């Protein structure tokens, strides 16, 4: 009776069959759609767009018609095993399905969560990131057009995400004799052909990142020559004065990376590079999480990488 009352409260109850008409079964699709609607105010637009894609293209085509209370661990395991080899997408889709069923458990619609495939939510890298040295970051910046050199330096020594970089305003930088830092207060994402600017990825991503003091004169010169006018002007505007698109920067970035001997370098690898430099400089795990804007120690661990030179230094050190 308590379970039936809970279904009534959630508007999921259907009366007993009084005739031959089929019962309106609460399927995975119906409940997932309800969950998606109810989470509108909790998730950012980009997250909702991704979740919509996982539901429509990965989860619901096979599992949508299954009655919610009938989905078993074996069903989920077979579904996951049948997916094409897209590790990150599959891990995210599994995590989303597990989250939806966690809510169903809380709603007392199912006795247990059937999403219990071991390591299914673990993301495995398809492309191993590249961590540049400080000298390589400076070389890469020098190879870029003048208006993008500071962009590469802030990314490589500050570890900001692309969306955080492109949304930066002049007022986000503190460039005094005693302080050289940047405050991340917003981020930009591109959705359906236009940019959307909003809060960063998480509360932890709203942070102030100290920058090497050697960057101060470079940033001052950049503001004078390339930033949009006014305190609220974009720090790294496109030629159209709009937000900068990564496709605009990518060709020159790839040429510069190839000249360095890293033809597979991605712009996001500058964030990996900064994370590695922070760790090698002696940052504690807590320091690292704050600098990178991470919410978990596991995420910080994913972004730190050793280098051959660092390994050689450590090995030589154990002989002494």
């Amino acid at each position: 009776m308590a379970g039936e009352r809970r279904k009534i409260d959630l508007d999921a109850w259907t009366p007993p069959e009084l005739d031959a008409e089929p019962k309106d079964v609460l399927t995975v699709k119906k409940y997932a759609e309800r969950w998606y609607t109810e989470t509108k105010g909790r998730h950012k637009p980009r997250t909702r767009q991704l979740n919509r894609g996982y539901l429509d293209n990965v989860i619901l085509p096979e599992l949508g018609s299954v009655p919610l209370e009938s989905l078993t661990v074996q069903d989920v395991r077979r579904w996951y095993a049948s997916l094409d080899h897209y590790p990150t997408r599959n891990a995210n889709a599994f995590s989303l399905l597990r989250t939806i069923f966690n809510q169903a458990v809380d709603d007392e619609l199912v006795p247990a969560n059937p999403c219990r495939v071991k390591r299914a939510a673990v993301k495995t890298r398809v492309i191993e990131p590249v961590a540049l040295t400080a000298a390589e970051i400076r070389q890469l910046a020098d190879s870029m057009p003048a208006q993008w050199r500071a962009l590469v330096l802030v990314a490589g020594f500050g570890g900001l995400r692309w969306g955080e970089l492109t949304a930066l305003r002049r007022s986000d930088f503190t460039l005094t004799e005693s302080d050289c830092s940047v405050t991340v207060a917003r981020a930009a994402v591109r959705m359906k052909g236009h940019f959307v600017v909003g809060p960063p990825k998480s509360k932890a991503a709203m942070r102030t990142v100290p920058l090497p003091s050697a960057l101060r004169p470079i940033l001052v010169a950049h503001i004078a020559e390339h930033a949009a006018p006014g305190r609220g002007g974009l720090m790294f505007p496109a030629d159209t004065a709009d937000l900068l698109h990564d496709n605009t920067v990518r060709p020159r970035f790839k040429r510069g990376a190839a000249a360095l001997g890293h033809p597979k370098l991605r712009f996001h690898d500058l964030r990996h590079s900064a994370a590695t430099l922070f760790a090698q400089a002696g940052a504690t795990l807590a320091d690292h999480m704050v600098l990178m804007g991470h919410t978990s120690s596991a995420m910080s661990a994913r972004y730190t990488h050793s280098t051959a030179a660092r390994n050689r230094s450590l090995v030589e050190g154990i002989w002494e």
Side-chain angles (χ1 to χ4, degrees), residues 123-145:
K123 297 178 184 178
T124 55
R125 290 193 178 105
V126 177
I127 301 175
E128 195 63 26
V130 177
L132 300 182
T133 66
E136 286 176 325
I137 294 171
R138 291 192 291 268
Q139 283 181 261
L140 180 60
D142 288 341
S143 73
M144 301 293 286

Side-chain angles (χ1 to χ4, degrees), residues 145-206:
Q147 70 268 31
W148 297 335
R149 288 172 188 164
L151 174 76
V152 170
L153 291 171
V154 174
F157 290 102
L160 274 64
R161 303 172 177 91
W162 174 263
E164 296 170 346
L165 286 163
T166 55
L168 288 174
R169 310 283 172 171
R170 292 168 58 149
S171 58
D172 295 326
F173 286 83
T174 301
L175 304 172
T176 65
E177 288 300 319
S178 59
D179 189 8
C180 180
S181 61
V182 58
T183 297
V184 178
R186 68 195 74 79
V189 295
R190 189 167 177 82
M191 295 178 57
K192 298 180 179 179
H194 67 278
F195 290 102
V196 177
V197 178
K201 189 174 183 179
S202 64
K203 286 185 178 180
M206 299 183 70

Side-chain angles (χ1 to χ4, degrees), residues 71-104:
L71 191 70
T72 66
V73 175
Q74 292 78 15
D75 292 333
V76 175
R77 187 179 295 115
R78 280 193 296 269
W79 160 75
Y80 187 79
S82 71
L83 297 176
D84 293 333
H85 186 66
Y86 298 106
T88 300
R89 184 207 67 174
N90 297 348
N92 289 337
F94 178 85
S95 294
L96 175 59
L97 184 64
R98 185 173 59 185
T99 297
I100 292 171
F101 267 89
N102 280 338
Q103 184 66 55

